[in-house]
Amino acid sequence: MKRLFGTLAAAIPLAGLGLAVPAALAAQEPASAAAPATEAPPPLIATGDFAGRAAFWDAQISPDGSMLSFLRKSAGDTQFVIADIVAKKRLHAFGTDPADQFEWYQWVTNDKLLVSVSTAGTFFGEEVRYTRLILVKLSDGSMTPLVRRSDVVEGDNVIHIDEDGSHVLVAIQKTIYDYPSVMRHELEPGGKVTTVQESRDGVWNWTADNQGVVRMGTGSKDGRLRIYYRSSATGPLEFVARLKEGDAADRFWDALQIINGSDEGYVLSEGETGRVGLRRFNFATRETIATIYEHPEWDIDSVTMRDGVPYAAYFTADRDEVHYFDPAVAKQHASLRRALGDVEVWVPSRAKDGSRMLVWAGNEADPGVLYFYDPAARKMDEVSQYRPSLDIRQLAKPRPVQYTARDGTVIRGYLTLPRGREAKRLPLIIMPHGGPYGIRDKLAYNDEVQLLANRGYAVLQPNYRGSGGYGDAFFELGTGQIGRAMQDDLDDAMDWAVAEGLADPGRVCVVGGSYGGYAAIFAVLRNPERYRCGASWAGVTDFDRILRYDRSFFSRAGFKRWRDKVRGQGVQDMKQVSPLERAASLSRPLLLAHGTKDVVVPFSQYNAFEKATRSAPMPPQTLVIKDEGHSFSTAANEKQWYDALEAFLAKHNPADAVPGGGVAAGE
């Protein structure tokens, strides 16, 4: 691996662009999308190569472009590091309580950062997920929690950061029984904390204008949208029955920003086409003024604002895409994409004045490389390779597919075929994504997909109903359909692959993590006649308990409430579709794996299910990784999962078995 901040020895100038690109990138050849039938299977890639890590992750540049921040592992603990870009030396290294899990961080000024951490705990006997903010101040090297861990349940929902970095507004949920209120925190050690907005019945989301005045609260009660709005800083917060007369109460609508001194601002909302787009909106008249940007095929997922105006809109087609509103920035991004060739290009962070930026280049068959880019010098230097030991020439190239579910719904997804094998009656892994709501798979690099393809499996990733990006109607099809139509979509994915001649019906397994882990467990419980085996990392086994634990587990931005979305209107509990209720009937091979410090899906979900399966016809094979969270924090832990998964599949669904062997209990 190249040393950190190392300047590359050679660079290749690209004609017409004046951009110097590292020779290491230019020399790489991408994987083939359609390997010839006569191609020999690639050599087996070591699981450790897929689990390899960059030297650090989640890198950002300070507002003035002088410093780089990132997370890294040191002696098993996560460190938050600040480095001087020019001097190429470490300035600070911060650690947190080992019980805390990093969630996100953000530069506030060149001297201050906010860090969000979470931890699992209990509240009057109920498991809960606590989140809180920590202020990092570089000038004195201090780390100051804005609230104590046990004082609030949800304490990291920042709704406004003052431009001078003096204070933030945070929507805080004090207990699992409270609606959030808004607190003003002075960003200094021991800074003053005041309540600027009391909670309101039914309001889960608060919106401040660009000067930090709380102007609106939204939520849902009894299946209806509830809005409270004030026209000025001194005006009363008044209840608004609906967005506008005749508007459907269940349409997606999310306020992004209100402009101070006016009733106008920006929202993400569903338009006449059913696509979520960016609109300029009058909050007093509740009318759309203009559509700023709407893609004809895809929902807008998010928008970043700068200086009170839209800066970029993000959406996912088959790949992640971005629309920049500044023509100069759009032109620069297009030039980078042309210069870097057959890879996707993203700018995860840049200085406020654009003088320095981080650029990632990679694709679905290339985990990618992170670079520093100096626009003035038009030169790139490699910072870090994301999988330094991996030979990308041996990887497979996923491709988009679609099929029709049993009720006529068109389901899109991605298929990765193993190289060097005829695309006929292959062993198949169905890999549902996590979430589940508002999330989707896309053409992006995935270690697990590539590992399984390298071992000879076809991998199918269906974007089942309820997934994001395909319009609100498709999203709404998932309401109340966990374990029902959403699970049917996975079965129908298998049937499509079999009908196409790609998959052997007797050699199909389901593998997934988080919600995907749930779907894998439930697949072998609900349809043991269909699936040869299942493998779950951090899967949900008891939905009623997870819904009590974390109200945001299944949430999507805006007013849509998670509980009705998951359960469906009128459904009182989730026992019918929770694996825990069927655990004693497990009769197919199942790999059940979990980390003991998971704060998203608590380890108790694993414990309850494992205990309930001890008398089952076929108890699961288990893997417990001590001190691991919801996702893998170390290469060693990720390798443990890959090694266990590889051995499990080799035993119960070997890639080189004779096709047509059928599903036999106990195999």
Side-chain angles (χ1 to χ4, degrees), residues 222-251:
D222 300 324
R224 301 292 296 179
L225 173 65
R226 296 176 70 87
I227 299 177
Y228 291 87
Y229 178 73
R230 61 166 56 96
S231 288
S232 66
T234 58
L237 194 66
E238 297 180 326
F239 176 68
V240 177
R242 55 175 60 88
L243 291 179
K244 65 178 183 178
E245 198 66 35
D247 203 14
D250 60 351
R251 282 191 163 191

mmCIF file of all heavy atoms in Angstrom, residues 222-251:
data_model
loop_
_atom_site.group_PDB
_atom_site.id
_atom_site.type_symbol
_atom_site.label_atom_id
_atom_site.label_comp_id
_atom_site.label_asym_id
_atom_site.label_seq_id
_atom_site.Cartn_x
_atom_site.Cartn_y
_atom_site.Cartn_z
ATOM 1 N N ASP A 222 -52.380 9.192 13.945
ATOM 2 C CA ASP A 222 -53.574 8.533 13.419
ATOM 3 C C ASP A 222 -53.540 8.466 11.892
ATOM 4 O O ASP A 222 -54.559 8.606 11.212
ATOM 5 C CB ASP A 222 -54.844 9.261 13.875
ATOM 6 C CG ASP A 222 -54.971 9.302 15.395
ATOM 7 O OD1 ASP A 222 -54.575 8.307 16.033
ATOM 8 O OD2 ASP A 222 -55.443 10.318 15.928
ATOM 9 N N GLY A 223 -52.316 8.276 11.350
ATOM 10 C CA GLY A 223 -52.169 8.117 9.908
ATOM 11 C C GLY A 223 -52.265 9.404 9.122
ATOM 12 O O GLY A 223 -52.277 9.369 7.886
ATOM 13 N N ARG A 224 -52.313 10.554 9.806
ATOM 14 C CA ARG A 224 -52.458 11.828 9.108
ATOM 15 C C ARG A 224 -51.244 12.714 9.382
ATOM 16 O O ARG A 224 -50.706 12.745 10.483
ATOM 17 C CB ARG A 224 -53.720 12.572 9.572
ATOM 18 C CG ARG A 224 -55.008 11.801 9.359
ATOM 19 C CD ARG A 224 -55.344 11.647 7.891
ATOM 20 N NE ARG A 224 -55.608 12.935 7.262
ATOM 21 C CZ ARG A 224 -55.913 13.080 5.986
ATOM 22 N NH1 ARG A 224 -55.957 12.020 5.191
ATOM 23 N NH2 ARG A 224 -56.162 14.281 5.499
ATOM 24 N N LEU A 225 -50.848 13.450 8.357
ATOM 25 C CA LEU A 225 -49.759 14.396 8.489
ATOM 26 C C LEU A 225 -50.148 15.535 9.427
ATOM 27 O O LEU A 225 -51.250 16.065 9.338
ATOM 28 C CB LEU A 225 -49.405 14.965 7.105
ATOM 29 C CG LEU A 225 -48.385 16.105 7.058
ATOM 30 C CD1 LEU A 225 -47.020 15.625 7.530
ATOM 31 C CD2 LEU A 225 -48.299 16.663 5.645
ATOM 32 N N ARG A 226 -49.247 15.880 10.337
ATOM 33 C CA ARG A 226 -49.460 17.017 11.233
ATOM 34 C C ARG A 226 -48.340 18.023 10.993
ATOM 35 O O ARG A 226 -47.159 17.665 10.998
ATOM 36 C CB ARG A 226 -49.457 16.573 12.698
ATOM 37 C CG ARG A 226 -50.596 15.635 13.042
ATOM 38 C CD ARG A 226 -50.488 15.159 14.478
ATOM 39 N NE ARG A 226 -50.751 16.216 15.447
ATOM 40 C CZ ARG A 226 -51.951 16.546 15.890
ATOM 41 N NH1 ARG A 226 -53.016 15.896 15.441
ATOM 42 N NH2 ARG A 226 -52.110 17.500 16.787
ATOM 43 N N ILE A 227 -48.712 19.292 10.789
ATOM 44 C CA ILE A 227 -47.737 20.352 10.555
ATOM 45 C C ILE A 227 -48.037 21.528 11.477
ATOM 46 O O ILE A 227 -49.183 21.964 11.585
ATOM 47 C CB ILE A 227 -47.767 20.845 9.091
ATOM 48 C CG1 ILE A 227 -47.412 19.705 8.135
ATOM 49 C CG2 ILE A 227 -46.808 22.007 8.881
ATOM 50 C CD1 ILE A 227 -47.487 20.090 6.675
ATOM 51 N N TYR A 228 -46.988 22.021 12.122
ATOM 52 C CA TYR A 228 -47.053 23.272 12.876
ATOM 53 C C TYR A 228 -46.086 24.246 12.213
ATOM 54 O O TYR A 228 -44.951 23.882 11.887
ATOM 55 C CB TYR A 228 -46.668 23.054 14.335
ATOM 56 C CG TYR A 228 -47.659 22.249 15.123
ATOM 57 C CD1 TYR A 228 -47.596 20.863 15.150
ATOM 58 C CD2 TYR A 228 -48.671 22.874 15.847
ATOM 59 C CE1 TYR A 228 -48.506 20.114 15.878
ATOM 60 C CE2 TYR A 228 -49.592 22.138 16.577
ATOM 61 C CZ TYR A 228 -49.508 20.757 16.586
ATOM 62 O OH TYR A 228 -50.420 20.017 17.304
ATOM 63 N N TYR A 229 -46.529 25.497 12.044
ATOM 64 C CA TYR A 229 -45.706 26.468 11.307
ATOM 65 C C TYR A 229 -45.837 27.858 11.922
ATOM 66 O O TYR A 229 -46.909 28.245 12.394
ATOM 67 C CB TYR A 229 -46.133 26.509 9.834
ATOM 68 C CG TYR A 229 -45.365 27.513 9.005
ATOM 69 C CD1 TYR A 229 -44.041 27.269 8.655
ATOM 70 C CD2 TYR A 229 -45.956 28.708 8.603
ATOM 71 C CE1 TYR A 229 -43.313 28.191 7.917
ATOM 72 C CE2 TYR A 229 -45.232 29.643 7.859
ATOM 73 C CZ TYR A 229 -43.913 29.374 7.526
ATOM 74 O OH TYR A 229 -43.197 30.286 6.797
ATOM 75 N N ARG A 230 -44.715 28.607 11.925
ATOM 76 C CA ARG A 230 -44.739 30.023 12.312
ATOM 77 C C ARG A 230 -44.106 30.838 11.183
ATOM 78 O O ARG A 230 -43.111 30.433 10.582
ATOM 79 C CB ARG A 230 -44.020 30.265 13.630
ATOM 80 C CG ARG A 230 -42.569 29.921 13.674
ATOM 81 C CD ARG A 230 -41.880 30.533 14.917
ATOM 82 N NE ARG A 230 -42.495 30.171 16.174
ATOM 83 C CZ ARG A 230 -42.091 29.177 16.958
ATOM 84 N NH1 ARG A 230 -41.058 28.426 16.586
ATOM 85 N NH2 ARG A 230 -42.700 28.920 18.101
ATOM 86 N N SER A 231 -44.685 32.003 10.895
ATOM 87 C CA SER A 231 -44.234 32.828 9.781
ATOM 88 C C SER A 231 -43.043 33.701 10.125
ATOM 89 O O SER A 231 -42.376 34.200 9.218
ATOM 90 C CB SER A 231 -45.378 33.731 9.284
ATOM 91 O OG SER A 231 -46.347 32.956 8.605
ATOM 92 N N SER A 232 -42.765 33.908 11.408
ATOM 93 C CA SER A 232 -41.649 34.755 11.791
ATOM 94 C C SER A 232 -41.082 34.272 13.113
ATOM 95 O O SER A 232 -41.671 33.419 13.787
ATOM 96 C CB SER A 232 -42.099 36.213 11.921
ATOM 97 O OG SER A 232 -43.004 36.357 13.000
ATOM 98 N N ALA A 233 -39.941 34.858 13.487
ATOM 99 C CA ALA A 233 -39.282 34.446 14.721
ATOM 100 C C ALA A 233 -40.144 34.708 15.942
ATOM 101 O O ALA A 233 -40.061 33.997 16.948
ATOM 102 C CB ALA A 233 -37.945 35.165 14.852
ATOM 103 N N THR A 234 -40.983 35.730 15.884
ATOM 104 C CA THR A 234 -41.807 36.089 17.042
ATOM 105 C C THR A 234 -43.246 35.600 16.926
ATOM 106 O O THR A 234 -44.025 35.748 17.866
ATOM 107 C CB THR A 234 -41.817 37.616 17.215
ATOM 108 O OG1 THR A 234 -42.311 38.223 16.011
ATOM 109 C CG2 THR A 234 -40.408 38.125 17.492
ATOM 110 N N GLY A 235 -43.593 35.029 15.779
ATOM 111 C CA GLY A 235 -44.964 34.589 15.574
ATOM 112 C C GLY A 235 -45.273 33.289 16.295
ATOM 113 O O GLY A 235 -44.381 32.534 16.682
ATOM 114 N N PRO A 236 -46.570 32.993 16.487
ATOM 115 C CA PRO A 236 -46.961 31.746 17.158
ATOM 116 C C PRO A 236 -46.785 30.541 16.235
ATOM 117 O O PRO A 236 -46.846 30.657 15.009
ATOM 118 C CB PRO A 236 -48.442 31.985 17.474
ATOM 119 C CG PRO A 236 -48.905 32.914 16.387
ATOM 120 C CD PRO A 236 -47.742 33.818 16.098
ATOM 121 N N LEU A 237 -46.560 29.387 16.860
ATOM 122 C CA LEU A 237 -46.479 28.129 16.115
ATOM 123 C C LEU A 237 -47.897 27.594 15.983
ATOM 124 O O LEU A 237 -48.507 27.177 16.969
ATOM 125 C CB LEU A 237 -45.585 27.137 16.863
ATOM 126 C CG LEU A 237 -45.116 25.903 16.102
ATOM 127 C CD1 LEU A 237 -44.176 26.281 14.968
ATOM 128 C CD2 LEU A 237 -44.419 24.931 17.057
ATOM 129 N N GLU A 238 -48.422 27.612 14.762
ATOM 130 C CA GLU A 238 -49.825 27.273 14.545
ATOM 131 C C GLU A 238 -49.969 25.948 13.813
ATOM 132 O O GLU A 238 -49.164 25.593 12.951
ATOM 133 C CB GLU A 238 -50.505 28.388 13.739
ATOM 134 C CG GLU A 238 -50.518 29.722 14.464
ATOM 135 C CD GLU A 238 -51.186 30.819 13.659
ATOM 136 O OE1 GLU A 238 -51.065 30.805 12.417
ATOM 137 O OE2 GLU A 238 -51.830 31.686 14.279
ATOM 138 N N PHE A 239 -51.032 25.245 14.165
ATOM 139 C CA PHE A 239 -51.316 23.958 13.536
ATOM 140 C C PHE A 239 -51.868 24.159 12.126
ATOM 141 O O PHE A 239 -52.754 24.983 11.898
ATOM 142 C CB PHE A 239 -52.322 23.172 14.378
ATOM 143 C CG PHE A 239 -52.748 21.867 13.757
ATOM 144 C CD1 PHE A 239 -51.860 20.818 13.635
ATOM 145 C CD2 PHE A 239 -54.043 21.697 13.277
ATOM 146 C CE1 PHE A 239 -52.249 19.611 13.065
ATOM 147 C CE2 PHE A 239 -54.437 20.507 12.712
ATOM 148 C CZ PHE A 239 -53.540 19.458 12.596
ATOM 149 N N VAL A 240 -51.308 23.405 11.165
ATOM 150 C CA VAL A 240 -51.769 23.418 9.778
ATOM 151 C C VAL A 240 -52.348 22.036 9.487
ATOM 152 O O VAL A 240 -51.663 21.017 9.665
ATOM 153 C CB VAL A 240 -50.616 23.729 8.806
ATOM 154 C CG1 VAL A 240 -51.101 23.677 7.365
ATOM 155 C CG2 VAL A 240 -50.025 25.087 9.113
ATOM 156 N N ALA A 241 -53.583 21.990 9.045
ATOM 157 C CA ALA A 241 -54.269 20.704 8.883
ATOM 158 C C ALA A 241 -53.605 19.828 7.830
ATOM 159 O O ALA A 241 -53.426 18.637 8.004
ATOM 160 C CB ALA A 241 -55.732 20.928 8.530
ATOM 161 N N ARG A 242 -53.236 20.435 6.702
ATOM 162 C CA ARG A 242 -52.628 19.658 5.618
ATOM 163 C C ARG A 242 -51.781 20.590 4.772
ATOM 164 O O ARG A 242 -51.826 21.807 4.916
ATOM 165 C CB ARG A 242 -53.691 18.968 4.770
ATOM 166 C CG ARG A 242 -54.743 19.921 4.205
ATOM 167 C CD ARG A 242 -55.704 19.179 3.277
ATOM 168 N NE ARG A 242 -56.405 18.107 3.958
ATOM 169 C CZ ARG A 242 -57.554 18.285 4.603
ATOM 170 N NH1 ARG A 242 -58.115 19.484 4.659
ATOM 171 N NH2 ARG A 242 -58.154 17.282 5.181
ATOM 172 N N LEU A 243 -50.973 20.023 3.900
ATOM 173 C CA LEU A 243 -50.112 20.842 3.056
ATOM 174 C C LEU A 243 -50.932 21.810 2.222
ATOM 175 O O LEU A 243 -50.656 22.984 2.138
ATOM 176 C CB LEU A 243 -49.262 19.960 2.143
ATOM 177 C CG LEU A 243 -48.182 19.139 2.850
ATOM 178 C CD1 LEU A 243 -47.434 18.290 1.841
ATOM 179 C CD2 LEU A 243 -47.221 20.058 3.575
ATOM 180 N N LYS A 244 -51.944 21.291 1.554
ATOM 181 C CA LYS A 244 -52.893 22.145 0.848
ATOM 182 C C LYS A 244 -54.159 21.341 0.620
ATOM 183 O O LYS A 244 -54.168 20.110 0.682
ATOM 184 C CB LYS A 244 -52.322 22.661 -0.473
ATOM 185 C CG LYS A 244 -52.042 21.607 -1.519
ATOM 186 C CD LYS A 244 -51.514 22.276 -2.801
ATOM 187 C CE LYS A 244 -51.285 21.230 -3.890
ATOM 188 N NZ LYS A 244 -50.829 21.850 -5.145
ATOM 189 N N GLU A 245 -55.240 22.012 0.354
ATOM 190 C CA GLU A 245 -56.542 21.358 0.228
ATOM 191 C C GLU A 245 -56.500 20.293 -0.847
ATOM 192 O O GLU A 245 -56.017 20.510 -1.959
ATOM 193 C CB GLU A 245 -57.612 22.402 -0.122
ATOM 194 C CG GLU A 245 -59.029 21.912 0.141
ATOM 195 C CD GLU A 245 -59.291 21.692 1.618
ATOM 196 O OE1 GLU A 245 -58.751 22.455 2.440
ATOM 197 O OE2 GLU A 245 -60.027 20.745 1.941
ATOM 198 N N GLY A 246 -56.983 19.105 -0.505
ATOM 199 C CA GLY A 246 -57.063 18.026 -1.477
ATOM 200 C C GLY A 246 -55.792 17.230 -1.638
ATOM 201 O O GLY A 246 -55.761 16.244 -2.361
ATOM 202 N N ASP A 247 -54.694 17.631 -0.959
ATOM 203 C CA ASP A 247 -53.443 16.910 -1.106
ATOM 204 C C ASP A 247 -53.506 15.608 -0.317
ATOM 205 O O ASP A 247 -54.022 15.567 0.795
ATOM 206 C CB ASP A 247 -52.285 17.767 -0.604
ATOM 207 C CG ASP A 247 -50.960 17.358 -1.219
ATOM 208 O OD1 ASP A 247 -50.991 16.605 -2.213
ATOM 209 O OD2 ASP A 247 -49.914 17.807 -0.725
ATOM 210 N N ALA A 248 -52.960 14.552 -0.896
ATOM 211 C CA ALA A 248 -52.965 13.253 -0.226
ATOM 212 C C ALA A 248 -52.094 13.320 1.024
ATOM 213 O O ALA A 248 -50.993 13.870 1.001
ATOM 214 C CB ALA A 248 -52.450 12.169 -1.172
ATOM 215 N N ALA A 249 -52.580 12.750 2.107
ATOM 216 C CA ALA A 249 -51.871 12.838 3.386
ATOM 217 C C ALA A 249 -50.640 11.953 3.424
ATOM 218 O O ALA A 249 -49.773 12.143 4.262
ATOM 219 C CB ALA A 249 -52.815 12.464 4.524
ATOM 220 N N ASP A 250 -50.559 10.957 2.546
ATOM 221 C CA ASP A 250 -49.448 10.025 2.635
ATOM 222 C C ASP A 250 -48.375 10.268 1.580
ATOM 223 O O ASP A 250 -47.495 9.459 1.383
ATOM 224 C CB ASP A 250 -49.962 8.578 2.514
ATOM 225 C CG ASP A 250 -50.681 8.315 1.192
ATOM 226 O OD1 ASP A 250 -50.941 9.279 0.448
ATOM 227 O OD2 ASP A 250 -50.976 7.133 0.918
ATOM 228 N N ARG A 251 -48.420 11.404 0.895
ATOM 229 C CA ARG A 251 -47.382 11.709 -0.075
ATOM 230 C C ARG A 251 -46.088 12.090 0.629
ATOM 231 O O ARG A 251 -46.102 12.720 1.675
ATOM 232 C CB ARG A 251 -47.812 12.848 -1.000
ATOM 233 C CG ARG A 251 -48.772 12.411 -2.096
ATOM 234 C CD ARG A 251 -48.940 13.526 -3.114
ATOM 235 N NE ARG A 251 -49.511 13.031 -4.342
ATOM 236 C CZ ARG A 251 -49.572 13.734 -5.474
ATOM 237 N NH1 ARG A 251 -49.094 14.973 -5.495
ATOM 238 N NH2 ARG A 251 -50.083 13.233 -6.560
#
